[in-house]
Amino acid sequence: MKIAALENNILAIVAGTFAATIAAEDIEPQFHALTHFPDRRARSELADLAERLNQFGAYVVELWNKACEPIPEAEIEAFARRHVELTRRYWAAEGRCMNWFITGPARFPVARNEKRMRISDARRADLKAHEATARKAAKRRAFPHGADDAPIRSGDPSALQRIMTRIEELALSIDRMKAANAIIRRMEKELSSEEDMIAAVAANTGLSPEAATRGIKLAPWQSRRGFSTTNSRAELRRLQQRLAALARMKERGTQTEEVETSAGAVEIKENADIARIQLIFPDKPDDLTRRVLKANGFRWSPSQGAWQRHLNEAGRYAAQRVLKTISAASAA
């Protein structure tokens, strides 16, 4: 998706209902004290802005094509509008700075210029931070429960199925490595060549020739051929334990309990649908209570209207600790 186009030193930006036109000659005066060629600097800045906008548009299109969802044009528009605003702020800050060829030989207030340069650097950092934050937000909206190659989240509705699939894949991989090791040991006794070993392993285990090569050709630090299944078996046990814990949580379902505290009646909610333990206060907690909540790993969720953290035994213990702490603080 092309958001910005630079032609004849004029940048045209169109993103949804947002449209802007920036001419190089309009921003050129802001670089007069920074370079001998402010016209070149102005064209360069416009080209950089166009590249950032178009790269974000292409990223969002690629992301949402993978998610098989309609492209969120409103999100692209919001990014373009805000990024242009931040870029103008950066240009304005740059326009107040002076290059060394001015501050060096003249009796110029260098400390003041250094302060302005720090402000300009901060405005430039805002541009990078905004782009990174917008990309992260777009990915989170496209894949609210994480992409297929991302860690499996407990709040994912398909978490149980994805974990079971991962367990099956790991078990199959371990079986293949065991079969490959048996072939390697047998062929080593027969003094077979490495090429014959690779061919036999690839033909009888389903491993690719590249994967077979990694287990057969010795690296300088290796003393024995074969595949190690230690890490895979540890990961398999971890996934099996997590699957059992998640199944118990789903079976238990969502549960709520109301506890009277100094802050009023606080609802403790074990939300099994999103795998969160939530504390719901009748009103906004005071500063002390918020500090206690954050110290115990709870974070405010505007969409849920609750303070929450992951639903597990540690989360349940943290919730009880929060309530006990704020009650003790009020009593004191």
Side-chain angles (χ1 to χ4, degrees), residues 15 25 47-48 51 55 71 73 96 122 124 129 154 180 187-188 194 202 218 241 250 263 265 273 283-284 308:
E25 62 181 3
D48 289 344
E51 183 179 7
Q55 284 181 349
I71 299 171
E73 294 184 0
R96 302 178 68 237
R124 186 188 298 113
S154 299
M187 297 188 72
E188 280 181 329
E194 290 184 341
L218 293 175
Q241 293 170 358
K250 297 291 185 182
D273 293 333
D283 299 302
K284 181 179 178 180
Q308 63 182 23

Side-chain angles (χ1 to χ4, degrees), residues 59 74 82 89 99 178-179 181 187 194-196 205 220 234 264 274 277 300 325 330-331:
Y59 173 79
R82 178 60 176 164
R89 290 179 59 191
N99 203 312
K178 287 181 177 179
N181 288 338
M187 297 188 72
E194 290 184 341
E195 288 70 21
D196 292 339
T205 65
I274 60 174
I277 184 166
W300 171 249
T325 302
S330 62

Side-chain angles (χ1 to χ4, degrees), residues 74-135:
E75 187 167 346
I76 297 177
E77 176 185 341
F79 171 82
R81 189 185 301 273
R82 178 60 176 164
H83 203 72
V84 169
E85 177 187 347
L86 290 175
T87 303
R88 289 186 181 277
R89 290 179 59 191
Y90 162 61
W91 290 339
E94 277 281 90
R96 302 178 68 237
C97 300
M98 302 290 174
N99 203 312
W100 65 270
F101 65 78
I102 294 178
T103 62
R107 295 174 60 96
F108 192 88
V110 176
R112 182 190 302 171
N113 190 57
E114 290 176 349
K115 180 179 179 180
R116 291 175 177 176
M117 292 175 67
R118 287 194 296 269
I119 294 174
S120 177
D121 291 341
R123 297 290 180 267
R124 186 188 298 113
D126 289 343
L127 292 176
K128 295 182 179 179
H130 178 244
E131 187 174 5
T133 302
R135 284 174 177 256

Side-chain angles (χ1 to χ4, degrees), residues 44-306:
S44 175
E45 289 290 341
L46 291 182
D48 289 344
L49 175 57
E51 183 179 7
R52 293 195 300 271
L53 293 174
N54 290 329
Q55 284 181 349
F56 180 79
Y59 173 79
V60 172
V61 170
E62 180 183 1
L63 197 64
W64 285 77
N65 284 339
K66 290 180 181 179
C68 299
E69 296 287 344
I71 299 171
E73 294 184 0
E75 187 167 346
I76 297 177
E77 176 185 341
F79 171 82
R81 189 185 301 273
R82 178 60 176 164
H83 203 72
V84 169
E85 177 187 347
L86 290 175
T87 303
R88 289 186 181 277
R89 290 179 59 191
Y90 162 61
W91 290 339
E94 277 281 90
R96 302 178 68 237
C97 300
M98 302 290 174
N99 203 312
W100 65 270
F101 65 78
I102 294 178
T103 62
R107 295 174 60 96
F108 192 88
V110 176
R112 182 190 302 171
N113 190 57
E114 290 176 349
K115 180 179 179 180
R116 291 175 177 176
M117 292 175 67
R118 287 194 296 269
I119 294 174
S120 177
D121 291 341
R123 297 290 180 267
R124 186 188 298 113
D126 289 343
L127 292 176
K128 295 182 179 179
H130 178 244
E131 187 174 5
T133 302
R135 284 174 177 256
K136 185 177 180 180
K139 187 173 184 179
R140 187 167 54 246
R141 291 188 181 93
F143 300 99
H145 301 294
D148 292 339
D149 58 347
I152 302 173
R153 301 179 182 178
S154 299
D156 187 347
S158 59
L160 287 174
Q161 184 58 46
R162 290 182 63 189
I163 292 175
M164 287 189 287
T165 301
R166 180 60 180 150
I167 288 174
E168 293 174 358
E169 292 173 350
L170 265 177
L172 179 60
S173 175
I174 292 171
D175 290 341
R176 285 175 173 171
M177 288 189 286
K178 287 181 177 179
N181 288 338
I183 294 172
I184 292 170
R185 300 293 170 258
R186 174 175 57 80
M187 297 188 72
E188 280 181 329
K189 292 179 181 179
E190 298 172 355
L191 302 179
S192 301
S193 65
E194 290 184 341
E195 288 70 21
D196 292 339
M197 290 183 188
I198 294 171
V201 168
N204 293 282
T205 65
L207 291 174
S208 66
E210 293 77 14
T213 301
R214 287 195 294 270
I216 293 172
K217 288 189 177 293
L218 293 175
W221 48 269
Q222 288 179 311
S223 60
R224 188 181 183 189
R225 294 186 180 91
F227 297 87
S228 174
T229 61
T230 302
N231 292 338
S232 297
R233 286 186 281 110
E235 176 67 5
L236 181 62
R237 288 193 298 271
R238 186 191 70 82
L239 286 174
Q240 290 170 337
Q241 293 170 358
R242 187 181 177 197
L243 179 64
L246 195 57
R248 288 194 300 269
M249 183 188 70
K250 297 291 185 182
E251 183 179 357
R252 181 172 176 170
T254 298
Q255 297 189 1
T256 60
E257 177 187 0
E258 198 169 87
V259 178
E260 286 293 336
T261 68
S262 58
V266 179
E267 180 182 352
I268 306 176
K269 183 176 182 180
E270 295 186 7
N271 194 330
D273 293 333
I274 60 174
R276 295 291 185 274
I277 184 166
Q278 301 172 324
L279 295 180
I280 303 174
F281 290 80
D283 299 302
K284 181 179 178 180
D286 57 24
D287 291 341
L288 175 61
T289 302
R290 293 199 300 273
R291 286 198 297 270
V292 172
L293 285 164
K294 292 177 181 178
N296 285 276
F298 285 87
R299 294 295 180 266
W300 171 249
S301 171
S303 61
Q304 294 290 324

